[in-house]
Amino acid sequence: MEQSDIDGLTFEAALAELEQIVRALEQGAEPLDKSIEMYQRGDRLKRHCEARLKAAQAKIEKITLGADGAPSGTAPFDAG
């Protein structure tokens, strides 16, 4: 599978495949060349998941409250 295959994955599908790769690499049963390929795909999946999370976070807004405690609008979400 190539990067274009990864680009079409949902966050959940990419994360599930990444978890599967991590488990397989932890077992150490694959030959070296296969392990390297799996690691490289895992890295691409990780970057894909991070990008999806960043995009989702950019879409989230928080409700701001006025001095009287009533909702007064929205502001970008800040996880920090």
Side-chain angles (χ1 to χ4, degrees):
M1 293 182 123
E2 299 296 322
Q3 183 64 41
S4 60
D5 297 331
I6 292 173
D7 291 341
L9 293 175
T10 64
F11 173 81
E12 293 79 8
L15 184 60
E17 184 178 346
L18 178 57
E19 290 171 344
Q20 185 179 35
I21 288 172
V22 169
R23 281 191 302 275
L25 289 173
E26 286 177 343
Q27 291 175 357
E30 297 293 336
L32 179 61
D33 288 341
K34 177 70 174 172
S35 293
I36 291 170
E37 289 174 17
M38 292 171 67
Y39 178 84
Q40 290 171 334
R41 179 156 177 88
D43 183 57
R44 290 190 301 270
L45 287 163
K46 177 183 134 318
R47 285 187 273 127
H48 175 74
C49 288
E50 288 172 343
R52 297 293 299 256
L53 285 173
K54 187 175 181 178
Q57 186 176 10
K59 293 179 183 178
I60 296 173
E61 295 181 335
K62 65 179 177 180
I63 298 173
T64 57
L65 302 176
D68 62 355
S72 63
T74 61
F77 177 77
D78 180 18

